[in-house]
Amino acid sequence: MDIRLKRAYEQPARSDGQRVLVDRIWPRGVAKENADIAHWLKGLAPSTELRKWFGHDPGKWPEFRERYLDELTSGDASEDLEAFRKLLEQHDRITLVFAAKDTEHNNAVALRDYILNDQL
């Protein structure tokens, strides 16, 4: 299973495989026709409240990850988690697309780690 991460502001590449947007809000300034997004799974994004609380503060990263994973497993994300499971079964490579400037502390990183740790 090859799961990659890429900012929405970077050029799509053939090597990305299936591109899945995992943000609740469409990335500002990115044209949908140029983004090459195969799937937009809003339910895999953190809640608006959690996203605002986190504010991409690296000091809050451990607690953000914990709260975010709790949200993922709470049941509200079940439909999009199931859709994502099917994508993983159908494709060798998936790229999680996100808008955050911080490439190390964002929901796509936490989601990838969750998936790779056999939690999904």
Side-chain angles (χ1 to χ4, degrees):
M1 176 181 338
D2 186 6
I3 300 174
R4 298 178 180 196
L5 304 175
K6 197 169 201 179
R7 288 193 72 224
Y9 304 99
E10 296 176 49
Q11 281 292 102
R14 294 180 116 211
S15 62
D16 290 343
Q18 289 285 297
R19 290 169 51 87
V20 179
L21 181 62
V22 292
D23 286 344
R24 197 167 298 277
I25 302 167
W26 189 266
R28 195 171 299 175
V30 175
K32 289 184 180 179
E33 57 273 4
N34 297 332
D36 194 25
I37 299 295
H39 306 277
W40 185 8
L41 300 178
K42 296 178 190 179
L44 298 183
S47 66
T48 301
E49 297 78 22
L50 181 57
R51 180 179 52 82
K52 288 181 177 182
W53 170 83
F54 177 46
H56 297 284
D57 176 354
K60 294 180 178 178
W61 175 243
E63 188 173 350
F64 168 80
R65 285 174 50 99
E66 202 171 297
R67 289 185 183 188
Y68 173 53
L69 295 180
D70 284 346
E71 284 187 356
L72 279 177
T73 58
S74 72
D76 291 343
S78 62
E79 192 173 307
D80 281 346
L81 278 173
E82 185 57 34
F84 194 71
R85 281 185 189 97
K86 289 178 182 175
L87 288 172
L88 289 171
E89 291 170 4
Q90 297 168 356
H91 302 281
D92 293 331
R93 178 177 298 140
I94 291 179
T95 296
L96 300 178
V97 179
F98 62 96
K101 289 180 185 176
D102 186 338
T103 59
E104 295 179 30
H105 305 99
N106 63 66
N107 62 298
V109 171
L111 180 59
R112 180 201 56 201
D113 293 349
Y114 175 70
I115 295 162
L116 293 178
N117 286 326
D118 261 343
Q119 300 298 312
L120 189 60

